[in-house]
Amino acid sequence: VAARKTVVVTSPVRTGQQVYAEQADLVVLGMVSEGAEIIADGNIHVYAPMRGRALAGESGDTSARIFLQSMQAELVSIAGIYRVFEQDLPPSLHKKAQIELQEDERLAIFAINAN
């Protein structure tokens, strides 16, 4: 399997902005504001508060994942399967979280517990 390229964004992604990592993974080091959208054909990693929309596996990659340092997203999507967050998540998922697509086409959110 060939390595996928990675797009790194070091500045915040502000409301109304859209960042797309075509045929690549996306790493965002700045905050993603409400109303901002980050999109990748591969995986997405956000190492700051994630308050906007994150769409991974946009070209249909069902194995793509989203990794968030601070989960406050409005919406997440993997390979076109969406989940909107209107109510608060359990406190265990507010910090480091991983989102993946399950075989039954549901998005699963797990806390990342680094020991």
Side-chain angles (χ1 to χ4, degrees), residues 5-9 19-21 24-28 37-46:
K5 70 178 184 173
T6 302
V7 174
V8 179
V9 176
V19 174
Y20 175 42
D25 288 345
L26 178 61
V27 175
V28 181
E37 199 169 66
I38 55 174
I39 306 166
D41 287 335
N43 301 304
I44 293 177
H45 303 259
V46 181

Side-chain angles (χ1 to χ4, degrees), residues 14-53:
R14 303 200 186 287
T15 301
Q17 285 186 311
Q18 183 183 74
V19 174
Y20 175 42
E22 186 175 1
Q23 297 301 309
D25 288 345
L26 178 61
V27 175
V28 181
L29 302 177
M31 183 177 81
V32 179
S33 297
E34 291 179 21
E37 199 169 66
I38 55 174
I39 306 166
D41 287 335
N43 301 304
I44 293 177
H45 303 259
V46 181
Y47 296 102
M50 171 63 211
R51 297 187 178 127
R53 297 181 293 274

Side-chain angles (χ1 to χ4, degrees), residues 92 96 111-115:
S92 63
K96 298 177 180 122
I112 298 172
N113 297 316
N115 294 333

Side-chain angles (χ1 to χ4, degrees), residues 32-103:
V32 179
S33 297
E34 291 179 21
E37 199 169 66
I38 55 174
I39 306 166
D41 287 335
N43 301 304
I44 293 177
H45 303 259
V46 181
Y47 296 102
M50 171 63 211
R51 297 187 178 127
R53 297 181 293 274
L55 297 85
E58 195 61 13
S59 62
D61 181 357
T62 58
S63 68
R65 293 184 184 187
I66 300 171
F67 302 91
L68 303 174
Q69 184 79 23
S70 178
M71 171 57 177
Q72 302 165 40
E74 298 173 311
L75 175 148
V76 294
S77 168
I78 297 177
I81 305 296
Y82 291 84
R83 180 157 175 197
V84 177
F85 299 99
E86 290 157 351
Q87 68 266 19
D88 287 336
L89 290 168
S92 63
L93 297 177
H94 282 240
K95 297 288 180 193
K96 298 177 180 122
Q98 173 186 177
I99 301 155
E100 64 182 39
L101 184 61
Q102 302 287 284
E103 288 182 19

